[in-house]
Amino acid sequence: MTDLEPVRTYFAGWNARDADAILASLTEDGTYEDPSTGGPISGSALKAYVTGLWSAFPDLRFEEDSLDSTGPNRAASQWVMLGTNTGSMRGLPPTGKSVRVEGSDFFTLRDGKVATVKGYFDGGAVPRQLGLDIIVQPSQIGPFKFGVSTEVQTGRLDEPVAFSITTLHARNDECVQQVREGSRASLIDMLKMDGFIGATTAVIGHRMVTISAWDSPEASRRVMKEGAHAEVQKGMYDGTLASQGYTSVWTKARMNPLMVRCDGCGKMTRGPDADRKCKSCGEALPDALPFW
């Protein structure tokens, strides 16, 4: 009969949120693996992984459904992971939402400790329960490359007069993550700046682009000198984050009138005048969305 006490000690470390206790429950060469780790991890990598989880879910805990021996020096456990997202996860602000994830771990044991842990669970369960989008798409098909984008709006309906465009090629996946975190902080700074209207960012592989709209070219220059954006720029210019990149400011040459669909007649009409009436049927027009 396999002694299950090492597994109980391992889970006790998790529920105590004690990374050193988890590591102590493993053999010197012990490893942990689950769908999000990209393979077996151990030592400092495992410690960083569990502390990152606790940072995002400070109350994270496991409730055991079952724990059984599956053979000599082997065991399996079914569990439920519970926690509330009150800390930042991957640079995102906390959602305050709770998660419940069912999973199982399979253990090999040696010398009274855990030698390997292989965990299995639905990798999309946490982001879905936090209200995050899960996008499955190819990275490239022929000349087309795919990625993700983010929009930030102030709610202003002004026509943009200037656009700031920053693009860079990050050196590697780790640099992409660093730039994304810096970009989020920069956009938060921009929301506080006079003249800012809105922005759209895109990440396509290692290529990263930010296009922001402003009410004047002068207003757009402020972001280049202040806050988080200046720090990301520093990382681009000194070569720690990017292999190449540029910044630029573009001014408006022409902008056609905003067109709005009338819910009454279904026709597109020029953006709302002061009377906010459809020019075709006279019905009240819906509120206009931000121009950018």
Side-chain angles (χ1 to χ4, degrees):
M1 179 69 71
T2 299
D3 181 10
L4 300 178
E5 196 57 33
V7 178
R8 295 190 179 97
T9 301
Y10 165 82
F11 277 117
W14 272 99
N15 285 333
R17 289 177 283 281
D18 185 339
D20 290 330
I22 293 174
L23 294 179
S25 73
L26 304 180
T27 60
E28 186 174 348
D29 59 349
T31 61
Y32 171 87
E33 180 179 3
D34 72 29
S36 67
T37 61
I41 57 176
S42 60
S44 59
L46 176 55
K47 187 171 185 176
Y49 174 77
V50 299
T51 54
L53 278 176
W54 294 329
S55 177
F57 301 89
D59 63 345
L60 186 141
R61 66 194 184 280
F62 287 87
E63 293 184 354
E64 181 184 297
D65 278 347
S66 66
L67 174 60
D68 298 289
S69 170
T70 58
N73 296 316
R74 292 182 179 274
S77 174
Q78 290 181 292
W79 44 257
V80 176
M81 185 186 78
L82 304 166
T84 306
N85 178 218
T86 56
S88 176
M89 184 176 73
R90 297 183 180 180
L92 297 172
T95 64
K97 295 183 177 181
S98 296
V99 299
R100 183 183 189 277
V101 180
E102 296 181 356
S104 57
D105 286 336
F106 294 83
F107 301 86
T108 61
L109 309 174
R110 188 175 70 244
D111 300 328
K113 291 192 173 185
V114 174
T116 65
V117 187
K118 287 189 177 182
Y120 296 88
F121 56 85
D122 178 1
V126 168
R128 282 197 301 270
Q129 292 178 43
L130 295 182
L132 305 178
D133 287 334
I134 302 173
I135 300 172
V136 179
Q137 62 185 9
S139 59
Q140 183 172 355
I141 298 178
F144 296 93
K145 295 184 177 180
F146 304 90
V148 296
S149 63
T150 302
E151 177 188 75
V152 176
Q153 291 287 351
T154 62
R156 294 177 59 181
L157 301 180
D158 312 53
E159 290 187 8
V161 174
F163 294 89
S164 172
I165 302 177
T166 298
T167 183
L168 60 82
H169 285 263
R171 294 177 57 204
N172 51 45
D173 291 343
E174 181 179 350
C175 290
V176 167
Q177 185 61 30
Q178 291 182 52
V179 175
R180 291 189 74 175
E181 292 175 0
S183 295
R184 292 187 191 105
S186 177
L187 290 167
I188 291 172
D189 289 342
M190 290 159 69
L191 285 168
K192 304 171 186 174
M193 294 182 181
D194 293 336
F196 176 62
I197 298 173
T200 299
T201 70
V203 180
I204 306 168
H206 289 173
R207 178 178 172 84
M208 310 184 74
V209 180
T210 299
I211 305 174
S212 54
W214 302 83
D215 64 10
S216 72
E218 294 72 27
S220 70
R221 294 192 181 99
R222 182 179 169 191
V223 73
M224 305 294 182
K225 302 176 182 179
E226 299 179 20
H229 190 280
E231 289 299 312
V232 174
Q233 275 194 300
K234 180 181 177 182
M236 182 180 79
Y237 289 131
D238 66 17
T240 58
L241 293 178
S243 57
Q244 62 183 47
Y246 70 85
T247 63
S248 60
V249 176
W250 302 69
T251 55
K252 181 177 72 174
R254 185 188 75 233
M255 183 170 288
N256 294 327
L258 174 68
M259 303 296 290
V260 177
R261 183 183 185 278
C262 173
D263 291 336
C265 66
K267 294 182 179 179
M268 295 291 288
T269 186
R270 289 187 176 227
D273 293 330
D275 61 2
R276 304 189 61 79
K277 299 292 185 181
C278 173
K279 295 175 177 60
S280 297
C281 70
E283 289 287 326
L285 291 173
D287 291 338
L289 297 173
F291 223 92
W292 172 250

